[in-house]
Every structure is written in C-alpha cells, then in structure tokens.
Amino acid sequence: QLQLVESGGGLVQPGGSLRLSCAASGFTLDTYAIGWFRQAPGKEREGVSCISKTGASTNYADSVKGRFTISRDNAKNTVYLQMNSLKPEDTAVYYCAADKVYGSSRYCPWTGNGMDYWGKGTLVTVSS
C-alpha cells in the first residue's frame, strides 16, 4: 500500500506551536519533492510550503514566512512542518503531497498539480 500519512495536528492556542509530520508508507521519499498544503472550510486549497528532494530548496507562502519551517529526514522517510506563532487564520486541514523528481535537486512543488501521492490530511485548529 502506497500512501502518505500526516500526523501532529490538533488544537492549539494562538501563539502556540505545532509540528506536523508526513511519513511515507510503501515507498521512499528521497527522490520526491514534497509540498505542504492546507484547506480551510469554504476556501480553496493553498500552498503552504515545499521542499526539494534534497532539501536544497524551500519555499513558503507569505502568510507563514518567518513562522513555519519545513524540513526533511530522508533516513526516516519523513517530512516535517514546524509551525510557530500560530494564528487563528492558520486553522485548516493540512495535507502533504509527494512529486517524483528525476533530475532537479532544487525543484519545489507549489501548486500541487501533478503530485503522485497525497495524504488524507490532519486538522489544525488555532483557537482560544
């Protein structure tokens, strides 16, 4: 069974921190670029952050820049999203997705189009 599994979501107060994990099952992530996406109720999916297959390149949405950090540990077959200084507007279901990369070590998926695998998502709720 080939899938991505997100974990680490939950309820947190504004200003708090949370770390999300994205673990691969049935395949290895070392040749995949990874993106984190989120979707709030009634809103379109948006890109949050991405990381190239080697970790050489990363990107962040302006709304989370300086607060979120994406990283990967290929030995653990896992990608992380550290979220600090959380705001109520960060509330959403967070998804990770993997995109097979054959060449570029700096390709960073942003739109979510053409991804090979998607996780089911983990809910992050930022509220007092």
Side-chain angles (χ1 to χ4, degrees), residues 4 69 78 100:
L4 295 174
T69 302
T78 302
K100 181 74 172 181

Side-chain angles (χ1 to χ4, degrees), residues 71-93:
S71 62
R72 66 188 301 157
D73 187 341
N74 286 344
K76 295 182 178 180
N77 219 27
T78 302
V79 174
Y80 305 96
L81 184 67
Q82 179 67 46
M83 305 184 295
N84 298 327
S85 302
L86 284 162
K87 305 175 180 179
E89 51 263 45
D90 294 319
T91 296
V93 177

Side-chain angles (χ1 to χ4, degrees), residues 4-12 16-24 29 34-39 46-51 60 64 67-73 76-84 86 90-97 119-126:
L4 295 174
V5 179
E6 302 97 335
S7 62
L11 175 64
V12 63
S17 297
L18 216 55
R19 188 174 79 159
L20 306 183
S21 297
C22 173
L29 289 178
I34 304 295
W36 280 100
F37 306 86
R38 67 185 181 187
Q39 188 166 22
E46 64 174 334
V48 177
S49 184
C50 60
I51 188 167
Y60 299 90
V64 307
R67 300 188 296 119
F68 290 11
T69 302
I70 191 170
S71 62
R72 66 188 301 157
D73 187 341
K76 295 182 178 180
N77 219 27
T78 302
V79 174
Y80 305 96
L81 184 67
Q82 179 67 46
M83 305 184 295
N84 298 327
L86 284 162
D90 294 319
T91 296
V93 177
Y94 284 71
Y95 303 88
C96 67
K120 295 190 298 183
T122 185
L123 177 63
V124 173
T125 303
V126 185

